[in-house]
Amino acid sequence: MAFCQVIVDIAHEDVDRVFTYRVPKGLELCPGMRVHVPFGRKPRIEGVVVELVDSCDLPPERVRDVADTLEDYPAILPQMLELAREIKATSFCTLAQALRLMIPAQMRGERISEKTKEYAVVTVDPAVRGQVLAGQKRAPKRAAVFERLISAEGGELSCEQLKSEIDDYRPALNALVKMGFVRLEKREALRSPYGAMERLAGEDPVLTGQQEDVLSRILPAVDEGRGAFLLYGVTGSGKTEVFIRAVRRAAQQGRTAIVLVPEIALTPQMVMWFRSRFGEDAAVLHSRLSPGERYDEWRRIRRGDVRVVIGARSAIFAPLENVGLIIIDEEHESSYIADNTPRYDARELARLRCEKEGGTLLLASATPSMRSFALAGRGDLTLLEMPRRVKNRPMPEVHVIDMRRELAQGNRSVFSGALLDGLKSCLDAGRQAILFVNRRGYSTFVSCRSCGYTVTCSQCDVSMTYHSSENVLRCHYCGEERPVPSVCPECESRYIKYFGTGTQRVEEEVHKFFPDIPTIRMDNDTTRTKDAHEQLIAAFRRGEARILIGTQMIAKGLDFPNVTMVGIVAADAMLKLPDYRSAERTFQLLTQVSGRAGRAEFSGEVYLQTYDPGHYAIESASRQDYRAFFEQEMRRRKRALYPPYTLIARLLYEADREQDAQSAAESAMRQMEAFFERRSYLRKYVVSLRVMPCPVKRIKGKTRWQVALKIVDKPACREAVGKMSEIAQTPLEGCTCVCQENPSSMM
Ligand code: ADP
Ligand code: ZN
Ligand code: ZN
């Protein structure tokens, strides 16, 4: 008798274990296959086979049969099963939750199926086909269908094609099938997401000396399937070419590769590059694929049809076999961390996959994360550097402009005189410019100049944002809209105006100064539709506009040869966010944006406007001095006990009624205190443990409370974070709770 152990697809702690089922005769099973099983009173639910066993201790009447399989192959590869177990252990979720990461969401609950096309194929030998045709004389339809099929290439046609040529072909075809002259075949039709993509000529450039040097370290490691590298290469140093050569080497060794990029839609160029170099051997996974496209790409990968997968964070779960190389571009990006349960860091999982499958890990950035650079300093990652741009092109010259002085001199425009001059000479020279507007933290809000009243959302504790195209105020948390007041509701003053600098405002100002210059604006409003992002970028590349105005989404990865001027309208906006990473984020963003200037023959100029020119993040970014920034920031983190020296975790409670959130948070606090009572050896590592209302007390009408823990980053201390995750999973009356680790905002 054969049995199997199954994890059922229910994300509840009570069923977070294997259940034993009998394998009925004739059903071929192996670990990793998805099955339907009866469970409790439900006749069928989905599950994953994790193990086959010969015997079972349970009385036979208590063991039920596997109903059937969902696919005839294991959807979860053995190494992915292992990875799921690792995620369960480190992020304190159930195995069912971890397994859900491994397959496209659409595959669960049978919401998507393969798209198939039916083909009619002639089965009789070519020598006797004429004879068969002659035999059908008395059935003209049958003869017509058969004649059409034998005249088609390979003796086959899709039924779709037959239908379009011969009316009412089906009964005749069915008869031919019955007689054994034709057979029907269902073939998978894969949806391709590459329709509209630009293609580049795939010529290999001659490598630069720097590229040669770093590849001479990376390629031998790829050959041996080992090594973990951090490639610190300034913007425009040619990192993409290094990736391409390394991927090609892995492919030559018969192995596969994964390339992670922050969010692929943000770098369509990267996809284009890989597709033009690797063609059908490359697959792309990103959030803008339709469910069908996503599933089909997944199937192509799982079938072993591709050598390299390019994708955003979740592509780390690509079902590739024999992974020999994982590359993470822009490794400092926070988007590599999934914040929701199950929480994971794609960089950590990449390291694990490489260790388990014998592969090389390559992290790359012009502004490495504090953590990775610190790891390189300790020797846990091998540091490789490309300090110069391709062809010794100069780094852009950065002009720092003190906006306080501009204001004192009576300039109330969003642009300084220097930025305007720079923009003018760039346009006069026939080049293109980028104006970057840091939307985060500098949203446009309406405020009264007489009494200071600001319009806030009635459901959330935040100011509402002004949208000039529709002339409304909108809440960015819940979407509530309100008309713009013309007099202050508080003091009836008419001096109520919007403040701050949004992309629309900047666009309007540009048109005031340069009425004839065409511009393109890229922000959340102009990129809502599918492909809008790619289309705007392509139009700018074709030169249809001279100035590109945009938010964070234009900061990274883009390579426009004709752009020589970058204006950063408000460099320090993000510095004011209440996040311990705001200096790091500011430095990274400024360096990345500056890196868009002067990437080809013409040298670049950057105009960086700030109200805080002395801040070390601004100052070191203006000199493009990563090391100086790193050292100063690490000293500050150590002094203030922030990560990577500590772990920060919080339990966030939200409830309709304030007392529910408060009492749930207070009860969690007592459980944490009791936990540290029992684990006295951990107590000395606790920096702080507090219960309090969140700074933003309400969002979408829910009151918010939190328990915040800061503890020294030691392996043993992860246990405390585990305890918090456990507490978060206990349901509470009228409350929702999430556990966040190093949250991007404590608001
Ligand atoms: P990074 O990602 O390091 O910022 P890219 O990979 O985008 O830089 O390369 C910058 C520019 O240099 C691109 O236009 C790229 O085509 C070009 N480039 C890269 N390597 C070479 C090379 N070996 N020879 C000529 N041009 C190169
Ligand atoms: Zn007022
Ligand atoms: Zn709101």
Side-chain angles (χ1 to χ4, degrees), residues 225-227 323-326 349-362:
R226 57 162 179 84
V323 173
L325 173 67
I326 300 180
L349 296 183
R351 202 175 47 72
L352 269 172
R353 261 194 103 162
C354 284
E355 274 167 17
K356 292 217 155 88
E357 298 183 46
T360 304
L361 177 65
L362 174 59

Side-chain angles (χ1 to χ4, degrees), residues 1 25 36 40 55 90 92 119 147 150 173 229 287 317 335 423 430 450 514 540 543 688 710 712 721 723 727 730:
M1 198 62 91
K25 272 219 161 47
H36 281 126
S55 59
T90 53
F92 311 98
Y119 283 78
E147 189 168 14
I150 56 178
L173 180 66
F229 298 95
S287 61
F317 303 116
S335 62
L423 188 52
S450 302
F514 305 97
F540 187 62
S688 63
K710 199 188 216 185
V712 174
V721 182
K723 180 67 189 172
I727 295 173
T730 333

Side-chain angles (χ1 to χ4, degrees), residues 199-394:
R199 287 192 75 143
L200 292 177
E203 287 275 296
D204 276 3
V206 178
L207 293 177
T208 65
Q210 286 187 136
Q211 287 168 333
E212 294 265 15
D213 286 348
V214 300
L215 281 166
S216 75
R217 307 281 301 282
I218 297 168
L219 297 184
V222 171
D223 290 345
E224 290 168 28
R226 57 162 179 84
F229 298 95
L230 174 62
L231 172 58
Y232 160 44
V234 298
T235 56
S237 56
K239 294 187 283 296
T240 317
E241 193 59 38
V242 171
F243 302 163
I244 287 173
R245 303 293 171 108
V247 169
R248 194 183 286 160
R249 182 64 151 253
Q252 281 163 355
Q253 301 282 356
R255 311 199 65 189
T256 60
I258 298 174
V259 181
L260 296 188
V261 297
E263 165 52 48
I264 204 127
L266 296 182
T267 55
Q269 276 180 306
M270 173 76 78
V271 180
M272 198 169 77
W273 265 94
F274 272 88
R275 285 288 296 180
S276 57
R277 295 296 193 71
F278 294 98
E280 286 297 312
D281 286 345
V284 188
L285 292 174
H286 60 87
S287 61
R288 294 194 189 197
L289 296 181
S290 71
E293 288 169 345
R294 173 168 281 270
Y295 173 64
D296 287 351
E297 283 296 82
W298 189 90
R299 287 274 297 138
R300 244 160 47 80
I301 299 165
R302 181 63 190 81
R303 286 197 321 214
D305 291 351
V306 307
R307 295 238 145 250
V308 51
V309 173
I310 301 132
R313 174 178 74 212
S314 63
I316 195 61
F317 303 116
L320 274 175
E321 291 186 81
N322 200 9
V323 173
L325 173 67
I326 300 180
I327 294 171
I328 303 188
D329 191 21
E330 315 277 8
E331 68 83 26
H332 61 276
E333 283 288 316
S334 54
S335 62
Y336 288 122
I337 294 173
D339 259 332
N340 299 330
T341 313
R343 181 186 192 281
Y344 67 89
D345 182 336
R347 292 165 297 194
E348 289 299 311
L349 296 183
R351 202 175 47 72
L352 269 172
R353 261 194 103 162
C354 284
E355 274 167 17
K356 292 217 155 88
E357 298 183 46
T360 304
L361 177 65
L362 174 59
L363 307 178
S365 176
T367 52
S369 62
M370 291 289 119
R371 190 181 151 74
S372 295
F373 210 74
L375 286 177
R378 289 202 331 227
D380 290 345
L381 291 168
T382 306
L383 186 65
L384 303 173
E385 297 189 58
M386 298 209 294
R388 288 177 306 280
R389 283 188 160 183
V390 166
K391 299 190 174 146
N392 272 323
R393 283 169 195 148

